[in-house]
Amino acid sequence: MRILCARTKVVPVTARGAARSAALSEVRLPPSTSAPGPPALELRGITVTFGGITALSDVDLAVTPGTVHGVIGPNGAGKTTLFNVACGFVVPERGAISRRGDRLERLHPHDLAGLGMARTLQGLGLFDRVTVLENVLVGADRHARTGFLGSLLGLPRAAREERELRERATDVLDRLEIGAYAARYPASLPYPVRKRVALARALAAEPDLLLLDEPASGLGAADMDELGDLVRGLVSDRAMSVMLVEHHMDLVMRVCDEITVLDFGRRIAHGTPDEVRHDPAVLAAYLGEEVD
Amino acid sequence: MATALRRGRTWWAGSVLGRHLLVALLGLVVVVVVLESASDFRNLQLASMAYLGIAAGGLTVLTGLNGQISLGHGALMAIGAYTTALLLDDRDAGTPLPLVVLAAVAVTLLVGAVVGAAAARLHGPYLAGATLALAVAVPGIALYFKEQLGGEQGLRVVLPDIPTWVLDLAFFVTGQDLTRSRYVACLAWLTLIVTFVLLANLSRTRVGRRWRAVRDDEVAAELAGIRLGRARVSAFVVSAAAAGAAGAMMAITVRLAAPSGFTITLSLTLLTAVVLGGLGSLGGALLGAALLTFLPQVVTDLGVDAGLSDIQAAELAPLVYGLVMVVVVLVAPAGLVGTARTALLRRRLQRAGTGTSTSTSTDTAAPTSTSTTSKGTTT
Ligand SMILES: Nc1ncnc2c1ncn2[C@@H]1O[C@H](COP(=O)(O)OP(=O)(O)OP(=O)(O)O)[C@@H](O)[C@H]1O
Ligand SMILES: [Mg+2]
């Protein structure tokens, strides 16, 4: 369905997304009020054990299209493991993963890009010996069609595609205001810029589901605010869905539409930021930590 | 204005083949001029520089761009050389030379695919060990199959007669008759140019970008949709194909394929050339090959001039060679070409940095970042 938004820009959005962008700044609708399409990502009954440790036990999570879904929990709660399951790095013992209602039988990390999913890594994982632009070009690789022969012979088609990719990557860098660093090597850049490069690389794939692993760690207050605005912008302007692991509660509460709380590998709460904030189980899990 | 400049740069960077062909054409002119004026002896030397350069070019792609180390490239050259020797066993063999070279490349490529598939699962010392085993095994195979592969003596390579049109063309271009040494040198350098253009094409486009991504961060590369195994195997196969071409050129240059030519020393020599020149740089590989070919000779001559006996002078060469290696690793760890490029880049960034922002120039001045960064770039 296509509708005309107030921004005079035609964007495909779901019914919920439309309601969202119209009502963005006023109220945040609880996710259950209107009928959403199939979840952008659904994890059902996920159980993972490492040796004797149960890292995840029967965890359910569904990312509603066009929303930000936060995953929080104390250290060792299983958040990263859940992300790794969603990315195919960890195969769950039990449980099912679906994307837009389609069951993914055996998910491999290299399938992710093709499924329209992109993930940023907690440790950045930038390619350090190539330029910032090349980093983003790798992110845009899923739009490339050039085969080995085209590359080997430098066929005109390959050259044209290369130019298109470069323009695409340059645009993403400009959008994140780091275009000036395109020719630099990541190791020479300040940490907040590197974080943006990692985000730019993920965005260059133009995913419709973005998985962000602690995107705010190491950022100052100003950078964190900008990050929050950016994430909201991705959802409202580009109809993206976002899954977010984060330790900074103020950011989580501000940015997320829905939150899943994990503790000792179990889902102990789930709901809107307000519901979660006042949930007694959450308060107990975070005993001694500040929730907001 | 700034955007126009950037678009222009984008176009230049995107026009991969045009740029590489231009460089290749210039290279061809230089090669013709140099070979034409060089003596027969020098021509053979230049031919051996060319085949070492081809193999080093393949290796620098594997090690520099994809991060895989190989101590077995000498053995891959042997496979190319023996294939050539088997096809050129007498004067009436009849297979056209280009086909012989292609066959040598194809056979080596197949072996490379098998080795590469095994290598893709191995890392660091294990990979080094596995490829070392290859370097030891291949000459052993040649010794074992005495009947077919000539044992210790090896196989003689009979170079077919130079086609008349080549002779005519050479006379037309250079005004003198083409000797066999010059012919061989021309073939080797032509092969080098073609190989380097193809390798540079790969390096500068999607395939090379994926290789680098896998080298730098496997997890992030996989998340970008890259299949690690495929990327590694393809890098190994490409590198092996180059080694096969190098082996073919070596066979027609030295007119022999024998186990003594493909000892582990050859593999180490190639690795040395790559490290000296700068990992991942084709220009560096060529420079490394030049040093390997000419440095011993130059040093020996200097030693004799300085009044040393022939034997003493000959002993000087490995010493100087080792010293050069140590100095390069200490002073220019990114290799000769790599370090030069880094210095250039830093200068350019500093010049740009003074105009735009102060943080730019101070960041680049950090030595850790700049010394490691340009290793992965090519051409
Ligand atoms: N590969 C592994 N092998 C063994 N145990 C693991 C592995 N990965 C995670 N675990 C264990 O599983 C549990 C959950 O870990 P996980 O990293 O998912 O927690 P987390 O919520 O991301 O914690 P943090 O907030 O500290 O990042 C922990 O007890 C951890 O020690
Ligand atoms: Mg974690």
Side-chain angles (χ1 to χ4, degrees):
Chain A
M1 181 179 88
R2 281 172 176 270
I3 58 139
L4 201 59
C5 286
R7 291 171 177 271
T8 68
K9 201 170 163 191
V10 181
V11 272
V13 278
T14 60
R16 234 198 79 65
R20 272 215 42 75
S21 26
L24 176 65
S25 47
E26 302 114 56
V27 240
R28 211 160 275 169
L29 296 178
S32 50
T33 47
S34 58
L41 182 74
E42 186 176 23
L43 304 166
R44 277 183 156 279
I46 300 293
T47 300
V48 173
T49 55
F50 294 115
I53 313 162
T54 304
L56 292 173
S57 140
D58 202 23
V59 173
D60 294 330
L61 183 151
V63 182
T64 312
T67 66
V68 181
H69 195 125
V71 180
I72 61 171
N75 286 98
K79 306 179 296 287
T80 298
T81 307
L82 193 66
F83 254 47
N84 284 341
V85 168
C87 291
F89 282 117
V90 170
V91 184
E93 255 165 49
R94 275 196 305 283
I97 309 167
S98 326
R99 171 109 171 94
R100 296 201 208 92
D102 296 330
R103 174 93 185 258
L104 303 174
E105 281 306 336
R106 173 65 184 99
L107 184 63
H108 293 278
H110 58 240
D111 297 329
L112 230 55
L115 289 166
M117 295 162 69
R119 170 181 176 180
T120 62
L121 295 161
Q122 205 169 336
L124 293 188
L126 290 177
F127 309 121
D128 274 331
R129 284 154 67 189
V130 299
T131 61
V132 165
L133 183 69
E134 292 275 332
N135 266 276
V136 180
L137 282 170
V138 175
D141 190 73
R142 85 160 172 125
H143 302 290
R145 293 288 164 270
T146 303
F148 184 84
L149 266 187
S151 213
L152 181 74
L153 302 175
L155 298 179
R157 193 156 31 87
R160 197 175 337 114
E161 185 180 87
E162 191 74 9
R163 282 196 291 277
E164 283 165 11
L165 283 185
R166 271 166 202 276
E167 276 174 28
R168 192 191 282 268
T170 309
D171 286 346
V172 177
L173 286 174
D174 287 343
R175 192 142 41 88
L176 295 187
E177 292 163 7
I178 47 174
Y181 301 102
R184 300 278 300 273
Y185 291 88
S188 70
L189 299 174
Y191 188 73
V193 177
R194 265 145 63 193
K195 282 217 94 122
R196 283 191 189 214
V197 175
L199 189 59
R201 184 176 61 188
L203 289 179
E206 295 189 5
D208 64 64
L209 174 61
L210 188 61
L211 307 172
L212 301 175
D213 203 345
E214 308 220 5
S217 67
L219 295 188
D223 280 318
M224 218 183 294
D225 275 352
E226 273 190 51
L227 177 72
D229 294 342
L230 189 103
V231 170
R232 287 311 320 175
L234 293 174
V235 171
S236 57
D237 301 349
R238 293 179 179 258
M240 233 181 245
S241 318
V242 178
M243 188 169 151
L244 172 87
V245 167
E246 191 44 74
H247 275 294
H248 291 94
M249 280 307 158
D250 36 359
L251 181 72
V252 172
M253 293 298 166
R254 181 162 88 82
V255 165
C256 295
D257 298 292
E258 270 180 87
I259 295 176
T260 293
V261 189
L262 298 179
D263 191 20
F264 291 115
R266 294 179 179 281
R267 190 178 89 172
I268 58 165
H270 163 246
T272 62
D274 272 333
E275 287 166 6
V276 163
R277 202 195 314 255
H278 300 115
D279 194 303
V282 178
L283 291 174
Y286 273 96
L287 200 67
E289 288 187 46
E290 223 177 315
V291 176
D292 56 359
Chain B
M1 165 62 192
T3 27
L5 199 75
R6 200 157 69 181
R7 293 272 180 247
R9 273 213 189 142
T10 308
W11 179 86
W12 176 241
S15 151
V16 175
L17 185 63
R19 200 169 29 143
H20 294 160
L21 283 183
L22 197 69
V23 175
L25 206 65
L26 284 177
L28 193 66
V29 170
V30 173
V31 164
V32 168
V33 169
V34 170
L35 295 187
E36 193 247 343
S37 56
S39 66
D40 269 3
F41 170 71
R42 289 283 177 217
N43 264 302
L44 282 182
Q45 261 192 332
L46 285 165
S48 71
M49 172 184 162
Y51 66 68
L52 283 179
I54 296 168
L59 186 58
T60 209
V61 163
L62 181 71
T63 308
L65 302 193
N66 197 231
Q68 299 189 70
I69 194 166
S70 168
L71 297 178
H73 264 50
L76 293 170
M77 281 179 75
I79 290 165
Y82 271 95
T83 309
T84 308
L86 287 170
L87 289 171
L88 295 179
D89 55 350
D90 67 85
R91 196 162 280 268
D92 320 307
T95 327
L97 212 45
L99 276 189
V100 172
V101 177
L102 283 182
V105 169
V107 172
T108 316
L109 189 147
L110 283 180
V111 175
V114 175
V115 178
R121 295 162 202 282
L122 301 174
H123 285 268
Y126 301 102
L127 182 55
T131 50
L132 182 66
L134 184 75
V136 174
V138 167
I141 293 173
L143 288 176
Y144 186 80
F145 293 100
K146 269 197 188 61
E147 293 293 298
Q148 295 83 6
L149 300 177
E152 199 85 60
Q153 272 72 47
L155 296 174
R156 257 165 40 79
V157 176
V158 184
L159 193 63
D161 289 330
I162 309 174
T164 341
W165 69 267
V166 174
L167 287 171
D168 291 344
L169 181 71
F171 189 79
F172 180 73
V173 173
T174 65
Q176 58 187 109
D177 282 326
L178 186 64
T179 64
R180 285 176 87 78
S181 312
R182 192 165 292 146
Y183 175 55
V184 163
C186 277
L187 283 175
W189 277 92
L190 204 62
T191 309
L192 179 125
I193 289 173
V194 171
T195 311
F196 273 33
V197 166
L198 296 178
L199 291 178
N201 283 348
L202 285 176
S203 164
R204 274 280 148 252
T205 49
R206 190 179 182 208
V207 174
R209 186 156 52 236
R210 290 167 151 242
W211 287 343
R212 290 191 183 86
V214 170
R215 171 199 67 192
D216 282 358
D217 195 299
E218 292 181 7
V219 172
E222 221 177 348
L223 282 173
I226 299 172
R227 288 168 181 250
L228 302 181
R230 279 192 197 174
R232 290 218 176 87
V233 174
S234 69
F236 207 98
V237 166
V238 165
S239 184
M249 289 306 125
M250 181 170 173
I252 63 169
T253 305
V254 301
R255 312 269 181 89
L256 184 73
S260 59
F262 304 100
T263 56
I264 179 72
T265 315
L266 177 61
S267 297
L268 294 178
T269 302
L270 291 174
L271 214 53
T272 316
V274 166
V275 172
L276 276 178
L279 281 177
S281 156
L282 290 175
L286 197 57
L287 187 64
L291 280 178
L292 286 175
T293 315
F294 294 107
L295 192 66
Q297 173 105 55
V298 171
V299 170
T300 311
D301 289 352
L302 283 179
V304 172
D305 286 351
L308 293 176
S309 75
D310 281 359
I311 298 171
Q312 284 171 321
E315 280 169 350
L316 204 58
L319 185 73
V320 171
Y321 190 65
L323 275 177
V324 168
M325 187 77 188
V326 169
V327 169
V328 167
V329 168
L330 285 181
V331 179
L336 294 173
V337 170
T339 305
R341 192 185 292 124
T342 308
L344 219 84
L345 189 80
R346 193 182 301 179
R347 273 250 306 280
R348 203 190 316 148
L349 270 174
Q350 267 166 357
R351 222 179 303 140
T354 48
T356 50
S357 82
T358 42
S359 74
T360 316
S361 53
T362 45
D363 288 337
T364 14
T368 46
S369 55
T370 34
S371 63
T372 50
T373 43
S374 64
K375 280 182 196 167
T377 41
T378 308
T379 310

